[in-house]
């Protein structure tokens, strides 16, 4: 392993002055969850554009690190083919002279990119891209998702290295408070020389040029046992290394629930623990998640336990066609990137209302302060199953 003193990474430049925030126009009427809409851009990105929707990082703005990345690349007059491994709403496609190769693992972002007219490629760290683009772009862009943990960020770094040709350039953006400096040092050990070229508050952008050499190894998946199940947690997936407390409380509360032969939806499946638990109890399970890495993890969990089930990459229920269910089980997300965003969780509840058969039941677990009861009342009368350790389990049954 290369020690810190041998790394040729250096940091340069003073902190950029931060302009006063511009006044925003009044927000238009809410177009609903599914509809892409123009992202709110900071004044310094005047002339650029991107779409967004609930579920895309940064919504209703663009992700702050991606905003600094676009500003830095425009200032540096980057032109030509650019491989964007974290395309989000397609902001970099609006840079003058750039032809974007857009890659995303988020179903919400993929639908937004399609609405923007971009032929995006669904992939996660480690996936080969040469079948889609046999010639590697000389410029690669990546926003580190440090909020998804060290293993995922290191997988992103390795993936960027694998897709940057020798002599090619990587623009790497991220959040200082989410480990950016540490990840840039790791990238520098693999790429060669590089420097942090832009700062804005906690956001950073580094520029690295790849020298010939091996790509760093990708982190392994986590595996753990819980109850009668083996869970496979890929890097960056929620609760990859151990059972989530809220999920464990929900499953304990439902221990006596008869699911044999029932059609069950695990909505926002993550590692697939809830869906696998239901399948073990005789349910016909469908698992969905908007994050492609989570879909892969859930499928691996079913496979590790010899269980059958359908696992779909879906922006909430968009990929479910006309499927309906007797039971919906969910621990809905309320973070997208750094922000607390309840739009996705509320759409989970709306999806349950659409998808439940008459007499069907929604079971939901959440942090106690989150205000989901009113939305769940649209399904049916809401019952509190438990309140414990800062969490609550809720039940709502659709009228027969």
């Amino acid at each position: 392993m290369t020690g810190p003193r041998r790394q040729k990474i250096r940091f340069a430049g003073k902190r950029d002055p931060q302009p006063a925030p511009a006044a925003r126009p009044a927000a238009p009427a809410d177009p609903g969850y599914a509809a892409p809409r123009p992202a709110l851009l900071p004044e310094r990105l005047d002339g650029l554009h991107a779409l967004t929707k609930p579920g895309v990082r940064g919504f209703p703005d663009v992700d702050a690190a991606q905003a600094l990345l676009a500003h830095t690349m425009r200032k540096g007059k980057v032109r030509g083919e650019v491989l964007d491994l974290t395309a989000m709403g397609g902001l970099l496609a609006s840079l003058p002279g750039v032809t974007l190769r857009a890659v995303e693992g988020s179903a919400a972002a993929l639908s937004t990119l399609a609405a923007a007219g971009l032929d995006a490629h669904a992939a996660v760290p480690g996936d080969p891209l040469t079948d889609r683009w046999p010639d590697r772009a000389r410029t690669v862009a990546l926003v580190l998702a440090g909020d998804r943990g060290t293993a995922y960020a290191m997988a992103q770094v390795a993936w960027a290295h694998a897709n940057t040709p020798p002599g090619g350039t990587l623009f790497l953006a991220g959040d200082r408070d989410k480990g950016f400096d540490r990840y840039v040092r790791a990238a520098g050990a693999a790429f060669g020389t590089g420097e942090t070229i832009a700062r804005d508050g906690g956001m950073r952008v580094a520029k690295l040029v790849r020298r010939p050499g091996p790509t760093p190894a990708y982190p392994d998946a986590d595996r753990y046992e819980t109850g009668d199940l083996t869970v496979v947690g890929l890097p960056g997936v929620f609760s990859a290394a151990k059972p989530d407390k809220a999920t464990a409380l929900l499953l304990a509360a439902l221990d006596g629930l008869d699911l044999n032969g029932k059609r069950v939806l695990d909505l926002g499946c993550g590692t697939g623990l809830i869906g696998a638990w239901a399948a073990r109890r005789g349910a016909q399970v469908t698992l969905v998640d908007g994050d492609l890495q989570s879909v892969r993890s859930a499928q691996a969990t079913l496979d590790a336990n010899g269980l059958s089930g359908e696992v779909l990459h879906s922006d909430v229920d968009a990929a479910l066609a006309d499927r309906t269910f007797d039971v919906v089980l969910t621990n809905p997300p309320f973070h997208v990137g750094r922000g607390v965003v309840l739009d996705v969780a509320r759409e989970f509840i709306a999806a349950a209302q659409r998808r439940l058969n008459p007499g069907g039941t929604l079971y939901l677990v959440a942090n106690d302060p989150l205000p989901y009861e009113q939305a769940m009342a649209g399904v049916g009368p809401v019952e509190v199953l438990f309140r414990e350790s800062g969490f609550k389990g809720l039940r709502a049954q659709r009228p027969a």
Side-chain angles (χ1 to χ4, degrees):
M1 179 179 293
T2 304
R5 292 186 180 180
R6 295 181 62 189
Q7 295 175 0
K8 295 182 179 179
I9 192 75
R10 63 185 185 278
F11 299 90
K14 297 180 180 179
R15 177 174 295 191
D16 295 337
Q18 298 183 40
R24 285 187 175 179
D30 184 0
Y33 176 84
R37 64 215 69 175
L40 301 174
L41 303 185
E43 185 177 17
R44 66 182 172 187
L45 297 184
D46 184 49
L48 303 185
H49 54 85
L51 294 181
T52 189
K53 67 176 293 296
V56 177
R57 285 179 73 98
F59 173 84
D61 309 275
V62 292
D63 177 79
Q66 191 187 50
L68 181 60
L69 175 63
H71 173 71
T72 304
M73 292 176 70
R74 179 164 69 171
K75 189 175 177 181
K77 295 181 170 58
V78 174
R79 299 289 188 271
E81 298 277 348
V82 174
L83 173 65
D84 188 352
L85 295 172
T86 46
M88 300 184 212
L91 177 62
L92 300 189
S94 66
L95 290 172
V98 164
T99 300
L100 197 68
R101 300 178 178 182
V103 178
E104 254 297 342
S106 159
L110 287 164
S111 68
T112 302
L113 291 163
L118 295 168
D119 185 15
H121 184 66
V124 298
D127 285 352
L129 301 179
T130 50
D131 286 348
R132 177 65 185 271
W133 297 292
D135 59 316
R136 288 186 289 180
R138 300 290 299 175
T139 303
V140 178
L142 172 71
V143 176
L144 286 164
D147 53 290
R148 296 187 65 168
T150 297
Y152 188 77
M154 294 305 295
Q156 286 186 295
V157 168
W159 198 31
H161 187 273
N163 286 287
T164 306
T169 300
L170 170 67
F171 288 90
L172 188 65
D175 187 340
R176 174 196 61 196
D177 295 335
K178 299 295 182 181
F180 178 79
D181 292 345
R182 175 159 47 96
Y183 302 135
V184 170
R185 286 193 291 271
F191 273 78
T193 58
E195 60 184 344
T196 294
I197 59 174
R199 296 172 169 83
D200 182 19
M203 300 302 114
R204 301 285 187 268
V205 173
K207 180 179 178 181
L208 303 103
V209 177
R210 184 185 162 179
R211 65 187 174 194
T215 292
Y218 291 98
D220 293 329
D222 284 303
R223 294 175 72 96
Y224 60 88
E225 309 293 324
T226 180
D228 56 356
L229 294 169
T230 298
V231 177
V232 181
L234 295 178
V237 175
F238 175 69
S239 195
K242 62 181 180 180
D244 168 62
K245 178 67 173 176
T247 297
L249 288 170
L250 177 65
L251 297 185
L254 301 182
D255 186 54
L257 187 65
D258 180 11
L259 295 177
N260 191 44
K262 299 287 181 66
R263 292 184 56 81
V264 173
L265 173 63
D266 179 357
L267 189 51
C269 61
T271 61
L273 171 56
I274 291 176
W277 175 89
R280 181 72 86 200
R281 282 148 184 79
Q284 302 173 46
V285 297
T286 299
L287 299 82
V288 303
D289 204 291
D291 174 54
L292 184 56
Q293 185 86 326
S294 296
V295 169
R296 303 265 182 89
S297 191
Q299 185 64 62
T301 293
L302 290 180
D303 293 345
N305 293 280
L307 298 170
S308 62
E310 181 182 39
V311 188
L312 300 174
H313 187 213
S314 178
D315 184 9
V316 192
D317 65 336
L320 287 176
D322 59 354
R323 295 170 181 81
T324 59
F325 302 91
D326 303 307
V327 176
V328 175
L329 302 168
T330 186
N331 179 1
F334 62 95
H335 286 285
V336 180
R338 299 181 75 185
V340 175
V341 181
L342 299 185
D343 306 69
V344 178
R346 292 193 180 106
E347 187 65 12
F348 273 35
I349 296 168
Q353 187 174 356
R354 292 190 292 267
R355 299 289 172 177
L356 279 169
N357 295 321
T361 308
L362 166 64
Y363 295 95
L364 179 149
V365 66
N367 289 46
D368 203 357
L370 295 176
Y372 294 147
E373 287 84 349
Q374 184 175 355
M376 286 183 65
V379 177
V382 180
E383 174 189 353
V384 178
L385 298 175
F386 63 85
R387 276 194 163 91
E388 184 178 343
S389 304
F391 301 102
K392 60 186 174 187
L394 303 174
R395 175 184 185 273
Q397 185 171 17
R398 182 178 173 184

